[in-house]
Amino acid sequence: MTQEKQGSGKMTKASLIAVILILLAAIITLLILILLKRDSGQSQPPAAPAANGGILTYDSTVVLDDPETLQKLVDEMVRKAEEGTMTLEMQVDAVSGDGITFSCYLANALENNYDMFLTLYLDETQEEIYRTGLIPLGGRIETFSLEKALEKGSHSCTLVFNQVEEDLQTIHAQVNVGLNLIVN
C-alpha cells in the first residue's frame, strides 16, 4: 500500500507539473499574441478623419506591388534626389576696397548636373544687388561688381544658386546661402 501511495504521489506531482507547464505555455502564447497585435497596430500610420467625420481605414481591396517593383521605385526616387542635389563651391566672405568690386570665389562645381546663375540679395532691404549670367559646369567667378557702392563695414546677404534646365528658362533647383560683403 505504501508503494501505491508513493506511485500515486509521483503521478500527482507529474500531473501538477504538466498542468503548470501547459498554463505557462498558454500565458506566454497569449502575451505574444497581444504584443504582436499591438506592434502591428503601431506600424500603420495614424488614421486620419474622413470627410464625413468618421475614421479612415485601409481598403481591403488594395493590391500592393511586389518587392522588386517597390525597390525599382525607391531606386528611381533616390536617383531623382541625387540629380536634384547641388554641390556648392564658394567663399562665405566677399571683400572690397571700394564697395563696388568684390573678390570672392563662387563656382558651379563639376559634380553638378546643370548650368546655373547666381543672385545676390542685401538682407537689410531684400534688394537684388547682383546677378550673374549663366555659369557652366566647372565655371567660376573670382570677382564681381555691384552697380552702386556699399558703405564701409560688413553687409549680410543671401546668395541664391539657381540651377537651370537645358531649355535655359526652367529653374531646376535653388539653394540659398549666406554671404558676407566686407567693405574695407
Side-chain angles (χ1 to χ4, degrees):
M1 190 114 163
T2 333
Q3 286 181 345
E4 272 183 39
K5 285 184 182 177
Q6 283 180 354
S8 68
K10 285 182 183 177
M11 279 297 250
T12 308
K13 286 182 184 178
S15 298
L16 184 61
I17 289 174
V19 169
I20 291 173
L21 287 176
I22 290 171
L23 285 173
L24 282 175
I27 291 171
I28 290 171
T29 303
L30 183 62
L31 287 174
I32 289 172
L33 289 173
I34 290 171
L35 289 175
L36 287 176
K37 185 175 181 181
R38 186 176 67 185
D39 286 346
S40 69
Q42 289 176 349
S43 65
Q44 296 178 355
N52 64 5
I55 299 294
L56 291 173
T57 59
Y58 284 96
D59 190 327
S60 61
T61 63
V62 170
V63 178
L64 293 176
D65 288 327
D66 64 287
E68 266 184 50
T69 303
L70 292 174
Q71 186 59 52
K72 287 178 186 175
L73 291 171
V74 168
D75 292 344
E76 179 64 16
M77 285 191 301
V78 168
R79 186 191 66 73
K80 283 184 179 178
E82 287 173 349
E83 183 180 297
T85 61
M86 193 183 308
T87 300
L88 304 181
E89 286 186 13
M90 64 174 287
Q91 291 175 310
V92 295
D93 294 322
V95 180
S96 175
D98 63 4
I100 293 177
T101 304
F102 289 83
S103 296
C104 186
Y105 176 83
L106 305 169
N108 186 0
L110 286 171
E111 294 85 10
N112 290 330
N113 296 315
Y114 298 92
D115 293 342
M116 67 172 56
F117 68 93
L118 308 177
T119 313
L120 186 62
Y121 297 91
L122 190 60
D123 287 351
E124 186 177 307
T125 62
Q126 301 301 309
E127 169 189 10
E128 181 180 314
I129 58 173
Y130 177 69
R131 180 181 292 247
T132 70
L134 281 177
I135 303 170
L137 294 175
R140 69 181 178 275
I141 292 174
E142 294 176 343
T143 62
F144 62 89
S145 296
L146 306 179
E147 290 195 25
K148 64 180 184 181
L150 293 177
E151 295 179 12
K152 282 190 175 191
S154 181
H155 305 271
S156 295
C157 295
T158 299
L159 179 64
V160 182
F161 286 79
N162 302 277
Q163 287 185 330
V164 181
E165 292 190 7
E166 292 154 0
D167 66 5
L168 302 181
Q169 294 179 15
T170 306
I171 301 293
H172 177 76
Q174 293 180 315
V175 174
N176 299 348
V177 294
L179 179 69
N180 296 313
L181 299 183
I182 301 167
V183 181
N184 294 324

